Protein backbone atom coordinates (compact mmCIF):
# COMPACT_ATOMS: atom_id res chain seq x y z
CA UNK A 1 0.00 0.00 0.00
CA UNK A 2 1.13 3.50 -0.81
CA UNK A 3 -0.41 6.90 -0.26
CA UNK A 4 -3.76 7.16 -1.99
CA UNK A 5 -4.70 10.74 -1.16
CA UNK A 6 -3.38 14.12 -0.07
CA UNK A 7 -4.78 15.77 3.01
CA UNK A 8 -4.95 19.56 2.63
CA UNK A 9 -4.97 21.88 5.65
CA UNK A 10 -6.45 25.30 5.20
CA UNK A 11 -4.62 28.50 6.00
CA UNK A 12 -6.36 31.59 7.23
CA UNK A 13 -9.63 30.36 5.82
CA UNK A 14 -10.23 28.80 9.18
CA UNK A 15 -10.69 32.19 10.76
CA UNK A 16 -13.34 33.39 8.35
CA UNK A 17 -16.49 32.36 10.21
CA UNK A 18 -19.60 32.54 8.08
CA UNK A 19 -17.71 33.00 4.83
CA UNK A 20 -15.92 29.78 5.34
CA UNK A 21 -17.99 27.86 2.88
CA UNK A 22 -17.13 30.31 0.10
CA UNK A 23 -13.44 30.15 0.90
CA UNK A 24 -13.45 26.37 0.84
CA UNK A 25 -15.27 26.44 -2.47
CA UNK A 26 -12.73 28.91 -3.95
CA UNK A 27 -9.86 26.76 -2.83
CA UNK A 28 -11.52 23.68 -4.26
CA UNK A 29 -11.85 25.46 -7.59
CA UNK A 30 -8.22 26.67 -7.56
CA UNK A 31 -7.05 23.13 -6.94
CA UNK A 32 -9.36 21.69 -9.56
CA UNK A 33 -8.09 24.17 -12.17
CA UNK A 34 -4.47 23.55 -11.27
CA UNK A 35 -4.91 19.78 -11.53
CA UNK A 36 -6.84 19.79 -14.81
CA UNK A 37 -4.31 17.56 -16.52
CA UNK A 38 -4.83 14.80 -13.94
CA UNK A 39 -8.26 13.51 -14.91
CA UNK A 40 -8.44 10.72 -12.33
CA UNK A 41 -8.01 13.07 -9.40
CA UNK A 42 -11.10 13.68 -7.24
CA UNK A 43 -11.47 16.40 -4.63
CA UNK A 44 -13.44 15.94 -1.41
CA UNK A 45 -13.87 19.32 0.26
CA UNK A 46 -14.94 19.50 3.89
CA UNK A 47 -15.26 22.21 6.50
CA UNK A 48 -11.90 21.64 8.13
CA UNK A 49 -9.83 19.93 5.48
CA UNK A 50 -9.82 18.69 1.96
CA UNK A 51 -8.75 15.41 0.43
CA UNK A 52 -7.34 14.96 -3.03
CA UNK A 53 -7.96 11.37 -4.05
CA UNK A 54 -5.11 10.41 -6.35
CA UNK A 55 -6.71 7.38 -8.04
CA UNK A 56 -3.33 6.38 -9.38
CA UNK A 57 -2.15 9.82 -10.56
CA UNK A 58 1.47 10.89 -9.94
CA UNK A 59 1.71 12.29 -6.44
CA UNK A 60 5.21 13.78 -6.87
CA UNK A 61 4.04 16.11 -9.65
CA UNK A 62 0.82 16.97 -7.85
CA UNK A 63 2.75 17.88 -4.69
CA UNK A 64 4.81 20.40 -6.68
CA UNK A 65 1.64 22.04 -7.96
CA UNK A 66 -0.01 22.18 -4.53
CA UNK A 67 2.99 24.00 -3.09
CA UNK A 68 2.01 27.02 -5.19
CA UNK A 69 -1.72 27.21 -4.51
CA UNK A 70 -2.79 30.11 -2.30
CA UNK A 71 -4.97 29.20 0.65
CA UNK A 72 -3.12 25.97 1.42
CA UNK A 73 -1.27 26.13 4.72
CA UNK A 74 0.16 22.64 4.59
CA UNK A 75 -0.60 19.21 3.21
CA UNK A 76 0.31 15.59 3.74
CA UNK A 77 0.23 12.53 1.55
CA UNK A 78 -2.02 10.10 3.43
CA UNK A 79 -3.64 6.72 3.23
CA UNK A 80 -7.17 5.89 4.29
CA UNK A 81 -7.66 2.67 6.23
CA UNK A 82 -10.64 0.94 7.76
CA UNK A 83 -11.05 1.55 11.53
CA UNK A 84 -9.64 -1.79 12.48
CA UNK A 85 -6.41 -2.05 14.44
CA UNK A 86 -5.18 -5.00 12.37
CA UNK A 87 -5.74 -3.12 9.12
CA UNK A 88 -4.01 -0.06 10.56
CA UNK A 89 -1.03 -2.15 11.61
CA UNK A 90 -0.80 -3.62 8.15
CA UNK A 91 -1.00 -0.22 6.46
CA UNK A 92 1.71 1.22 8.74
CA UNK A 93 3.87 -1.78 7.97
CA UNK A 94 3.51 -1.28 4.23
CA UNK A 95 4.25 2.44 4.40
CA UNK A 96 7.47 1.76 6.27
CA UNK A 97 8.36 -1.05 3.90
CA UNK A 98 7.82 1.12 0.81
CA UNK A 99 9.05 4.49 1.99
CA UNK A 100 10.61 4.73 5.41
CA UNK A 101 12.47 1.53 6.28
CA UNK A 102 15.87 3.22 6.01
CA UNK A 103 15.02 6.26 8.08
CA UNK A 104 16.59 5.12 11.38
CA UNK A 105 14.24 6.67 13.93
CA UNK A 106 10.48 7.01 14.17
CA UNK A 107 7.58 7.77 16.41
CA UNK A 108 3.85 7.10 16.23
CA UNK A 109 1.50 10.02 16.98
CA UNK A 110 -2.07 8.87 17.29
CA UNK A 111 -5.01 11.29 17.42
CA UNK A 112 -8.64 10.45 18.03
CA UNK A 113 -11.21 12.80 16.57
CA UNK A 114 -13.73 10.09 17.35
CA UNK A 115 -13.64 8.79 20.89
CA UNK A 116 -15.74 5.73 20.27
CA UNK A 117 -12.74 3.91 18.81
CA UNK A 118 -11.86 1.00 21.06
CA UNK A 119 -8.22 2.03 21.69
CA UNK A 120 -7.05 5.32 23.12
CA UNK A 121 -4.09 7.24 21.69
CA UNK A 122 -1.55 5.71 24.09
CA UNK A 123 -2.74 2.23 23.18
CA UNK A 124 -2.47 2.96 19.49
CA UNK A 125 1.02 4.43 19.85
CA UNK A 126 2.20 1.35 21.72
CA UNK A 127 0.55 -1.24 19.53
CA UNK A 128 1.82 0.30 16.30
CA UNK A 129 5.25 1.16 17.71
CA UNK A 130 5.77 -2.42 18.83
CA UNK A 131 4.56 -3.73 15.52
CA UNK A 132 6.95 -1.56 13.48
CA UNK A 133 9.89 -2.43 15.72
CA UNK A 134 9.15 -6.11 15.19
CA UNK A 135 8.95 -5.77 11.41
CA UNK A 136 11.97 -3.48 11.10
CA UNK A 137 14.45 -4.32 13.87
CA UNK A 138 16.95 -1.79 12.50
CA UNK A 139 14.62 1.13 13.34
CA UNK A 140 14.60 2.86 16.72
CA UNK A 141 11.95 4.88 18.51
CA UNK A 142 12.76 8.53 19.18
CA UNK A 143 9.83 10.44 20.64
CA UNK A 144 11.59 13.82 20.73
CA UNK A 145 13.17 14.17 17.33
CA UNK A 146 12.24 11.28 15.06
CA UNK A 147 13.11 11.19 11.37
CA UNK A 148 9.67 9.77 10.63
CA UNK A 149 6.62 10.83 12.60
CA UNK A 150 3.77 8.56 11.57
CA UNK A 151 0.52 10.29 12.39
CA UNK A 152 -2.51 8.09 12.80
CA UNK A 153 -5.77 9.93 12.97
CA UNK A 154 -8.93 8.10 13.93
CA UNK A 155 -12.02 9.78 12.58
CA UNK A 156 -15.65 8.71 12.53
CA UNK A 157 -15.49 7.33 8.99
CA UNK A 158 -11.98 5.86 8.88
CA UNK A 159 -8.39 6.09 10.04
CA UNK A 160 -5.78 8.15 8.16
CA UNK A 161 -2.05 7.59 8.19
CA UNK A 162 0.47 10.23 7.14
CA UNK A 163 4.12 10.93 7.84
CA UNK A 164 5.11 14.08 6.01
CA UNK A 165 3.91 17.66 6.25
CA UNK A 166 4.68 19.86 3.29
CA UNK A 167 4.18 23.62 3.52
CA UNK A 168 1.90 25.41 1.10
CA UNK A 169 2.29 29.12 0.35
CA UNK A 170 -0.45 30.30 2.76
CA UNK A 171 -2.43 33.34 1.65
CA UNK A 172 -6.03 33.23 0.48
CA UNK A 173 -7.53 31.39 -2.50
CA UNK A 174 -7.46 33.46 -5.69
CA UNK A 175 -10.79 35.20 -6.21
CA UNK A 176 -11.81 35.32 -2.57
CA UNK A 177 -10.95 39.02 -2.13
CA UNK A 178 -12.60 40.61 -5.15
CA UNK A 179 -11.17 41.89 -8.42
CA UNK A 180 -8.55 44.55 -9.22
CA UNK A 181 -6.77 45.89 -12.30
CA UNK A 182 -3.01 45.26 -12.29
CA UNK A 183 -0.97 47.88 -14.17
CA UNK A 184 1.76 45.72 -15.69
CA UNK A 185 4.67 47.53 -17.31
CA UNK A 186 7.22 44.91 -18.30
CA UNK A 187 9.60 45.96 -15.53
CA UNK A 188 10.62 43.96 -12.48
CA UNK A 189 8.20 45.41 -9.97
CA UNK A 190 4.68 45.15 -11.30
CA UNK A 191 4.65 41.33 -11.76
CA UNK A 192 5.74 40.99 -8.13
CA UNK A 193 2.96 43.38 -7.07
CA UNK A 194 0.50 41.22 -9.01
CA UNK A 195 1.78 38.08 -7.34
CA UNK A 196 1.36 39.60 -3.89
CA UNK A 197 -2.18 40.74 -4.69
CA UNK A 198 -3.09 37.26 -5.89
CA UNK A 199 -1.63 35.79 -2.74
CA UNK A 200 -4.11 37.85 -0.76
CA UNK A 201 -6.90 36.32 -2.79
CA UNK A 202 -7.40 38.96 -5.47
CA UNK A 203 -8.57 38.20 -8.93
CA UNK A 204 -6.70 40.31 -11.49
CA UNK A 205 -7.23 41.78 -14.91
CA UNK A 206 -4.01 43.06 -16.41
CA UNK A 207 -3.61 46.45 -18.10
CA UNK A 208 -0.63 47.41 -20.25
CA UNK A 209 -0.02 50.69 -22.04
CA UNK A 210 1.53 50.23 -25.41
CA UNK A 211 2.92 53.05 -27.60
CA UNK A 212 3.88 51.81 -31.04
CA UNK A 213 6.11 52.64 -32.84
CA UNK A 214 7.93 54.05 -29.81
CA UNK A 215 7.57 50.72 -28.09
CA UNK A 216 7.99 47.56 -30.16
CA UNK A 217 6.24 44.22 -30.54
CA UNK A 218 9.05 42.85 -28.42
CA UNK A 219 7.91 44.96 -25.49
CA UNK A 220 4.36 43.73 -25.98
CA UNK A 221 5.49 40.11 -26.17
CA UNK A 222 7.32 40.60 -22.92
CA UNK A 223 4.13 41.66 -21.19
CA UNK A 224 2.28 38.70 -22.68
CA UNK A 225 5.01 36.39 -21.34
CA UNK A 226 4.84 37.98 -17.90
CA UNK A 227 1.07 37.63 -17.85
CA UNK A 228 1.47 34.01 -18.87
CA UNK A 229 3.79 33.43 -15.91
CA UNK A 230 1.24 35.01 -13.56
CA UNK A 231 -1.48 32.87 -15.13
CA UNK A 232 0.35 29.78 -13.90
CA UNK A 233 -0.80 30.97 -10.50
CA UNK A 234 -4.15 32.51 -11.42
CA UNK A 235 -5.37 29.98 -13.95
CA UNK A 236 -6.51 32.33 -16.70
CA UNK A 237 -5.89 36.07 -16.95
CA UNK A 238 -7.43 38.78 -19.08
CA UNK A 239 -4.86 41.17 -20.53
CA UNK A 240 -5.88 44.57 -21.91
CA UNK A 241 -3.35 46.17 -24.23
CA UNK A 242 -4.14 49.86 -24.34
CA UNK A 243 -2.99 51.92 -27.34
CA UNK A 244 -1.35 54.95 -25.78
CA UNK A 245 0.59 56.60 -28.61
CA UNK A 246 -1.80 59.41 -29.46
CA UNK A 247 -2.36 60.38 -25.88
CA UNK A 248 1.35 60.44 -25.16
CA UNK A 249 2.11 62.51 -28.23
CA UNK A 250 -0.55 65.00 -27.24
CA UNK A 251 0.72 65.26 -23.69
CA UNK A 252 4.30 65.76 -24.75
CA UNK A 253 3.25 68.44 -27.18
CA UNK A 254 1.01 70.42 -24.84
CA UNK A 255 2.32 69.99 -21.32
CA UNK A 256 5.55 71.69 -20.18
CA UNK A 257 8.40 69.26 -20.25
CA UNK A 258 8.93 68.88 -16.53
CA UNK A 259 5.27 67.92 -15.99
CA UNK A 260 4.97 65.46 -18.89
CA UNK A 261 5.62 62.49 -16.67
CA UNK A 262 3.10 63.56 -14.03
CA UNK A 263 0.37 64.15 -16.58
CA UNK A 264 1.19 60.90 -18.42
CA UNK A 265 0.80 58.96 -15.18
CA UNK A 266 -2.43 60.71 -14.37
CA UNK A 267 -3.75 59.85 -17.77
CA UNK A 268 -2.74 56.20 -17.44
CA UNK A 269 -4.53 56.09 -14.14
CA UNK A 270 -7.69 57.64 -15.55
CA UNK A 271 -7.75 55.17 -18.44
CA UNK A 272 -7.12 52.23 -16.11
CA UNK A 273 -9.89 53.50 -13.87
CA UNK A 274 -12.27 53.59 -16.81
CA UNK A 275 -11.36 50.00 -17.69
CA UNK A 276 -11.84 49.09 -14.05
CA UNK A 277 -15.32 50.54 -14.09
CA UNK A 278 -16.16 48.72 -17.29
CA UNK A 279 -14.94 45.37 -15.97
CA UNK A 280 -16.38 45.81 -12.52
CA UNK A 281 -13.18 45.73 -10.50
CA UNK A 282 -12.75 47.59 -7.22
CA UNK A 283 -9.10 48.62 -7.07
CA UNK A 284 -5.97 49.35 -9.09
CA UNK A 285 -2.62 47.72 -8.30
CA UNK A 286 0.76 49.17 -9.25
CA UNK A 287 4.37 48.12 -8.71
CA UNK A 288 5.38 51.44 -7.20
CA UNK A 289 7.97 51.38 -4.45
CA UNK A 290 8.79 54.50 -2.49
CA UNK A 291 11.81 56.40 -3.68
CA UNK A 292 12.74 54.11 -6.57
CA UNK A 293 12.41 56.65 -9.36
CA UNK A 294 11.25 60.22 -9.89
CA UNK A 295 7.58 59.32 -10.19
CA UNK A 296 7.66 57.39 -6.95
CA UNK A 297 8.10 60.15 -4.44
CA UNK A 298 5.25 60.94 -2.07
CA UNK A 299 4.82 64.34 -3.77
CA UNK A 300 4.47 62.62 -7.10
CA UNK A 301 2.01 60.03 -5.83
CA UNK A 302 -0.01 62.80 -4.23
CA UNK A 303 -0.22 64.67 -7.54
CA UNK A 304 -1.00 61.55 -9.56
CA UNK A 305 -3.53 60.10 -7.14
CA UNK A 306 -5.76 63.16 -7.43
CA UNK A 307 -7.48 61.88 -10.57
CA UNK A 308 -9.36 59.05 -8.87
CA UNK A 309 -10.89 57.99 -5.58
CA UNK A 310 -10.52 54.32 -6.49
CA UNK A 311 -8.23 52.53 -4.02
CA UNK A 312 -4.75 52.26 -5.49
CA UNK A 313 -2.92 49.37 -3.89
CA UNK A 314 0.85 49.38 -3.93
CA UNK A 315 2.00 46.09 -2.43
CA UNK A 316 5.70 46.98 -2.84
CA UNK A 317 5.56 50.49 -1.50
CA UNK A 318 7.75 49.87 1.56
CA UNK A 319 9.94 47.14 0.13
CA UNK A 320 13.61 47.29 -0.77
CA UNK A 321 14.61 46.49 -4.33
CA UNK A 322 16.68 43.47 -3.27
CA UNK A 323 13.66 41.90 -1.60
CA UNK A 324 11.52 42.58 -4.65
CA UNK A 325 14.13 40.94 -6.89
CA UNK A 326 14.18 37.89 -4.64
CA UNK A 327 10.45 37.38 -5.11
CA UNK A 328 10.74 37.99 -8.87
CA UNK A 329 13.27 35.17 -8.98
CA UNK A 330 11.09 32.85 -6.93
CA UNK A 331 8.07 33.37 -9.18
CA UNK A 332 10.17 33.14 -12.36
CA UNK A 333 9.28 36.58 -13.70
CA UNK A 334 12.77 38.00 -13.13
CA UNK A 335 14.40 36.72 -16.31
CA UNK A 336 11.52 37.90 -18.46
CA UNK A 337 11.52 41.33 -16.82
CA UNK A 338 15.21 41.96 -17.40
CA UNK A 339 14.97 41.45 -21.18
CA UNK A 340 15.72 44.82 -22.75
CA UNK A 341 12.65 46.76 -23.81
CA UNK A 342 11.39 50.24 -24.41
CA UNK A 343 9.19 51.62 -21.68
CA UNK A 344 6.33 53.76 -22.94
CA UNK A 345 6.63 55.99 -19.92
CA UNK A 346 10.24 56.94 -20.31
CA UNK A 347 10.19 57.69 -24.02
CA UNK A 348 8.79 61.18 -23.82
CA UNK A 349 10.08 61.92 -20.38
CA UNK A 350 12.88 64.48 -20.02
CA UNK A 351 16.15 63.53 -18.43
CA UNK A 352 15.12 65.18 -15.18
CA UNK A 353 11.37 65.09 -14.57
CA UNK A 354 9.95 66.91 -11.58
CA UNK A 355 10.33 64.82 -8.46
CA UNK A 356 8.10 67.19 -6.50
CA UNK A 357 5.23 68.09 -8.81
CA UNK A 358 2.45 70.25 -7.43
CA UNK A 359 -1.26 69.63 -7.87
CA UNK A 360 -2.11 73.25 -8.64
CA UNK A 361 0.46 73.39 -11.40
CA UNK A 362 -0.48 70.13 -13.04
CA UNK A 363 -4.15 71.07 -12.91
CA UNK A 364 -3.41 74.42 -14.48
CA UNK A 365 -1.43 72.88 -17.34
CA UNK A 366 -4.03 70.20 -17.92
CA UNK A 367 -6.86 72.72 -18.01
CA UNK A 368 -5.87 73.56 -21.58
CA UNK A 369 -6.34 69.97 -22.77
CA UNK A 370 -9.37 67.81 -23.30
CA UNK A 371 -8.46 64.33 -22.11
CA UNK A 372 -11.86 62.76 -22.46
CA UNK A 373 -11.37 61.92 -26.15
CA UNK A 374 -8.04 60.24 -25.45
CA UNK A 375 -9.49 58.26 -22.59
CA UNK A 376 -12.46 57.03 -24.60
CA UNK A 377 -10.33 56.23 -27.61
CA UNK A 378 -7.82 54.27 -25.55
CA UNK A 379 -10.54 52.31 -23.80
CA UNK A 380 -12.48 51.59 -26.97
CA UNK A 381 -9.44 50.49 -28.94
CA UNK A 382 -7.95 48.29 -26.25
CA UNK A 383 -7.08 44.82 -27.39
CA UNK A 384 -8.19 42.12 -24.99
CA UNK A 385 -6.46 38.76 -24.77
CA UNK A 386 -7.17 35.72 -22.69
CA UNK A 387 -3.88 34.39 -21.40
CA UNK A 388 -3.49 30.86 -20.11
CA UNK A 389 -0.46 29.01 -18.77
CA UNK A 390 2.02 27.89 -21.40
CA UNK A 391 0.53 24.62 -22.57
CA UNK A 392 -2.77 26.08 -23.73
CA UNK A 393 -1.57 29.40 -25.19
CA UNK A 394 -2.07 28.50 -28.85
CA UNK A 395 -5.76 27.85 -28.42
CA UNK A 396 -6.35 31.14 -26.70
CA UNK A 397 -4.60 33.09 -29.44
CA UNK A 398 -6.51 31.43 -32.24
CA UNK A 399 -9.68 32.30 -30.51
CA UNK A 400 -8.77 35.95 -30.61
CA UNK A 401 -7.13 36.85 -33.85
P1 LIG B 1 8.11 48.39 -12.95
O1 LIG B 1 9.35 47.67 -12.52
O2 LIG B 1 6.88 47.71 -12.56
O3 LIG B 1 8.16 48.82 -14.38
P2 LIG B 1 9.23 50.86 -12.22
O4 LIG B 1 10.06 50.81 -11.00
O5 LIG B 1 9.89 50.84 -13.54
O6 LIG B 1 8.13 49.74 -12.11
P3 LIG B 1 7.62 53.06 -13.11
O7 LIG B 1 8.10 52.88 -14.47
O8 LIG B 1 7.62 54.39 -12.46
O9 LIG B 1 8.35 52.16 -12.06
O10 LIG B 1 6.14 52.48 -13.03
C1 LIG B 1 5.44 52.48 -11.82
C2 LIG B 1 4.22 51.58 -12.01
O11 LIG B 1 3.34 52.14 -12.99
C3 LIG B 1 4.56 50.22 -12.53
O12 LIG B 1 4.94 49.36 -11.49
C4 LIG B 1 3.27 49.82 -13.16
O13 LIG B 1 2.34 49.36 -12.19
C5 LIG B 1 2.76 51.11 -13.75
N1 LIG B 1 3.20 51.22 -15.17
C6 LIG B 1 4.28 51.84 -15.66
N2 LIG B 1 4.34 51.72 -17.01
C7 LIG B 1 3.26 51.00 -17.38
C8 LIG B 1 2.75 50.53 -18.64
N3 LIG B 1 3.37 50.75 -19.79
N4 LIG B 1 1.60 49.83 -18.63
C9 LIG B 1 0.95 49.56 -17.47
N5 LIG B 1 1.40 49.98 -16.27
C10 LIG B 1 2.52 50.69 -16.21
MG1 LIG C 1 9.05 50.45 -15.34
Amino acid sequence: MNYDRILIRYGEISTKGRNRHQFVERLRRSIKDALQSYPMVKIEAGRDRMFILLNGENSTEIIKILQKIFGIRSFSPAVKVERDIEKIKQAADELFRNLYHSKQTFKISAKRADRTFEYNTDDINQILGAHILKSFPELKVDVRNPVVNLEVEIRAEAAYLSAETILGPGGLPVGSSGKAMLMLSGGLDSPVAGYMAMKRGMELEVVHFFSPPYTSERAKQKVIDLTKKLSEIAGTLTLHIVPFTKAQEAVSKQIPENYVMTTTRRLMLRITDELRRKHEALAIITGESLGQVASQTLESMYAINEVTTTPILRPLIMMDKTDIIKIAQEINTHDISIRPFEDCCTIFVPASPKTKPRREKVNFYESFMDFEVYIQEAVNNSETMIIKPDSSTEASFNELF
Side-chain angles (χ1 to χ4, degrees):
M1 189 181 292
N2 250 322
Y3 291 125
D4 64 351
R5 65 196 56 222
I6 295 174
L7 159 65
I8 310 259
R9 297 178 196 86
Y10 305 150
E12 281 171 58
I13 291 180
S14 319
T15 63
K16 293 289 184 229
R18 259 180 301 148
N19 293 329
R20 188 191 190 95
H21 175 72
Q22 276 177 24
F23 280 75
V24 172
E25 181 50 26
R26 291 274 183 198
L27 181 59
R28 194 189 64 78
R29 248 185 279 164
S30 298
I31 295 176
K32 189 162 176 262
D33 287 350
L35 298 182
Q36 258 174 17
S37 43
Y38 301 90
M40 297 310 290
V41 159
K42 290 262 172 319
I43 301 171
E44 277 177 3
R47 244 186 91 72
D48 314 311
R49 53 198 5 225
M50 209 176 273
F51 282 113
I52 295 180
L53 311 184
L54 294 168
N55 291 318
E57 298 282 12
N58 183 329
S59 65
T60 320
E61 286 170 23
I62 290 176
I63 284 170
K64 274 194 211 132
I65 296 172
L66 294 177
Q67 280 172 305
K68 290 188 188 165
I69 296 179
F70 298 137
I72 296 181
R73 179 166 54 90
S74 69
F75 57 96
S76 299
V79 60
K80 182 179 184 177
V81 188
E82 228 176 279
R83 281 169 39 132
D84 171 320
I85 196 74
E86 288 308 316
K87 296 260 166 66
I88 296 172
K89 268 159 75 176
Q90 192 189 336
D93 202 284
E94 286 176 24
L95 277 184
F96 272 90
R97 191 172 310 284
N98 291 341
L99 299 168
Y100 305 121
H101 59 272
S102 62
K103 299 288 186 183
Q104 295 164 2
T105 62
F106 77 101
K107 146 189 189 184
I108 310 284
S109 308
K111 261 197 285 184
R112 274 196 313 175
D114 174 31
R115 308 218 155 245
T116 65
F117 190 63
E118 55 186 315
Y119 300 98
N120 69 23
T121 50
D122 285 342
D123 297 338
I124 300 168
N125 289 344
Q126 288 197 355
I127 294 169
L128 289 184
H131 180 73
I132 294 299
L133 283 173
K134 207 169 93 199
S135 300
F136 306 94
E138 66 280 18
L139 288 177
K140 284 199 176 66
V141 172
D142 179 349
V143 290
R144 287 228 176 76
N145 196 16
V147 181
V148 181
N149 180 9
L150 182 72
E151 294 189 48
V152 179
E153 193 177 0
I154 312 287
R155 293 176 76 89
E157 73 286 2
Y160 297 94
L161 273 57
S162 62
E164 288 161 70
T165 298
I166 303 162
L167 289 182
L172 301 172
V174 172
S176 56
S177 304
K179 187 160 81 173
M181 309 306 278
L182 169 67
M183 295 179 68
L184 189 68
S185 62
L188 264 166
D189 300 320
S190 34
V192 175
Y195 168 81
M196 290 175 75
M198 287 194 286
K199 184 163 181 184
R200 289 313 295 169
M202 275 188 210
E203 182 190 341
L204 302 181
E205 288 199 20
V206 179
V207 179
H208 176 68
F209 289 85
F210 182 50
S211 299
Y214 307 104
T215 58
S216 68
E217 282 300 315
R218 244 178 359 155
K220 180 168 155 186
Q221 187 57 44
K222 190 176 175 186
V223 168
I224 293 173
D225 291 348
L226 284 170
T227 307
K228 205 180 290 175
K229 264 286 164 243
L230 293 177
S231 78
E232 288 173 15
I233 297 162
T236 296
L237 281 171
T238 304
L239 166 63
H240 305 279
I241 305 265
V242 182
F244 200 43
T245 313
K246 275 193 196 162
Q248 274 198 295
E249 283 172 346
V251 170
S252 70
K253 207 188 273 167
Q254 294 180 52
I255 299 286
E257 204 184 65
N258 56 356
Y259 272 81
V260 164
M261 186 197 64
T262 307
T263 292
T264 306
R265 296 285 178 180
R266 282 161 63 106
L267 194 48
M268 280 168 67
L269 202 50
R270 290 174 68 176
I271 295 168
T272 305
D273 206 26
E274 194 53 30
L275 284 164
R276 175 203 64 75
R277 204 184 50 74
K278 208 171 142 189
H279 297 280
E280 299 178 338
L282 294 171
I284 293 169
I285 295 162
T286 76
E288 288 161 303
S289 170
L290 197 58
Q292 255 196 31
V293 290
S295 62
Q296 297 179 18
T297 61
L298 273 187
E299 289 83 359
S300 183
M301 278 182 229
Y302 182 74
I304 293 165
N305 233 120
E306 188 185 22
V307 299
T308 178
T309 56
T310 299
I312 300 177
L313 310 181
R314 302 174 170 95
L316 312 184
I317 195 73
M318 303 301 182
M319 284 176 70
D320 288 353
K321 192 76 184 184
T322 46
D323 296 326
I324 298 171
I325 289 174
K326 226 184 274 167
I327 300 179
Q329 282 163 338
E330 277 164 26
I331 63 172
N332 295 320
T333 54
H334 176 270
D335 291 358
I336 304 174
S337 289
I338 60 171
R339 283 186 214 154
F341 82 118
E342 318 80 13
D343 182 343
C344 79
C345 295
T346 51
I347 281 162
F348 296 96
V349 169
S352 53
K354 257 223 158 346
T355 54
K356 297 187 176 179
R358 300 219 334 256
R359 279 188 179 185
E360 314 83 75
K361 281 208 170 169
V362 71
N363 279 315
F364 173 73
Y365 296 140
E366 289 181 7
S367 68
F368 300 99
M369 276 183 83
D370 179 11
F371 287 109
E372 229 19 74
V373 282
Y374 295 111
I375 295 172
Q376 286 318 319
E377 205 179 290
V379 169
N380 294 340
N381 296 330
S382 288
E383 176 189 5
T384 299
M385 299 181 185
I386 308 296
I387 306 284
K388 296 183 181 180
D390 228 354
S391 54
S392 46
T393 313
E394 292 305 331
S396 65
F397 279 104
N398 292 340
E399 213 169 85
L400 286 152
F401 300 113

